[in-house]
Amino acid sequence: MLLVLCPLNDPHALWFAGRARADGRPCTVLPTEKLSFPRRRSHRLGGSGGSAARTVIELTDGTVVDGARVTGVLNRMVMPPADAWQHAVEGERAYATAELHAFSLSWLSALRCPVRNRPTPQCLAGPAPDTLRSWAAAQASGLSCAPVRVGTTDPWHPAQAVLAAARRASGPSARPVHAVCLDGKVLAPGVPARVAAGVAALCAAIGAGRSLIGVDFLVDGEDWRFAGTSPLPDLRAGGHRLYRLLLSALGQR
């Protein structure tokens, strides 16, 4: 079973699942919202003898997701499946959300099949380091990074500050480019070799060497200014090439 985890409103995950099904591949889309209301959820950790963890989720429609039968996972789950607790009192809601975050982190980390992306404590959807850390790593990796200013007259959120810096440094004709990267390899067309090499080094530096991420740039002529990263890239921008490579990365032949 090829499993796609995503919110209901994720068109990129649904695009990938649609392509897989059109190819005749058994592919199950499991929205976070649906995962929030299971009939039962069982997660047993491996014992001291080295036995593997075992996870079984039974949904209300009778679908059973057995971790031992999953052959690959495209994970775009940003939030834990806690919708069932949204009307609980604040203390109970916070406790349940933390528990379900821990469940999701453990479940996806313990799967023995290929997963893109493995969760991190900071983000269930994969590598999502602090924006300023990504900016520093991008600069150290040889990518063009504009000086970032943060103050009372500038955007205070780090992601906004990095984007504002790139806009200031770029010309008025600069265009945004979203580069999809799979396992450190840029799949967007027209990316200069020096930029692709910098992206590969960036992925290694932020722990995304075996992940699917997006890297944003503002491009003005030959100048590619770094503008941020995302663990939720635009899959459709990668087209058929990304689809085939992602299938292979997920162990689907």
Side-chain angles (χ1 to χ4, degrees), residues 7-247:
L8 278 171
N9 61 349
D10 186 343
H12 310 292
L14 298 179
W15 169 84
F16 175 80
R19 291 288 300 266
R21 288 169 172 168
D23 280 349
R25 300 176 184 275
C27 180
T28 298
V29 177
L30 185 51
T32 309
E33 295 82 353
K34 191 172 185 178
L35 187 57
S36 300
F37 298 89
R39 181 172 294 164
R40 67 183 178 96
R41 181 189 293 119
S42 172
H43 181 60
R44 299 178 182 273
L45 299 179
S48 57
S51 58
R54 179 73 183 275
T55 304
V56 177
I57 302 169
E58 182 181 356
L59 304 177
T60 54
D61 63 1
T63 300
V64 175
V65 178
D66 186 340
R69 297 175 180 271
V70 176
T71 59
V73 178
L74 173 61
N75 170 35
R76 291 171 64 93
M77 182 169 63
V78 179
M79 302 297 293
D83 284 12
W85 294 86
Q86 61 182 319
H87 297 301
V89 296
E90 182 178 355
E92 291 292 330
R93 184 171 65 251
Y95 173 78
T97 299
E99 288 292 314
L100 290 167
H101 184 280
F103 160 78
S104 302
L105 183 63
S106 181
W107 167 39
L108 295 173
S109 297
L111 285 171
R112 293 193 170 187
C113 65
V115 179
R116 295 294 185 278
N117 294 326
R118 296 280 178 181
T120 68
Q122 293 77 29
C123 179
L124 290 176
D130 178 82
T131 303
L132 294 181
R133 181 192 163 201
S134 294
W135 176 88
Q139 189 170 50
S141 299
L143 296 175
S144 176
C145 298
V148 176
R149 298 199 306 254
V150 179
T152 56
T153 60
D154 298 288
W156 65 269
H157 191 280
Q160 295 175 346
V162 169
L163 180 57
R167 285 173 174 163
R168 282 194 301 268
S170 302
S173 60
R175 57 187 176 88
V177 172
H178 180 75
V180 182
C181 312
L182 176 61
D183 297 348
K185 185 176 182 179
V186 178
L187 301 180
V191 178
R194 59 180 173 78
V195 175
V199 169
L202 168 63
C203 289
I206 64 174
R210 297 281 290 174
S211 298
L212 176 64
I213 69 169
V215 181
D216 292 310
F217 295 92
L218 286 182
V219 180
D220 186 14
E222 298 298 317
D223 189 14
W224 288 60
R225 297 271 183 183
F226 174 77
T229 64
S230 170
L232 300 174
D234 180 349
L235 301 184
R236 293 176 296 187
H240 182 71
R241 183 184 178 204
L242 170 63
Y243 167 69
R244 299 303 306 179
L245 290 173
L246 183 52
L247 275 180

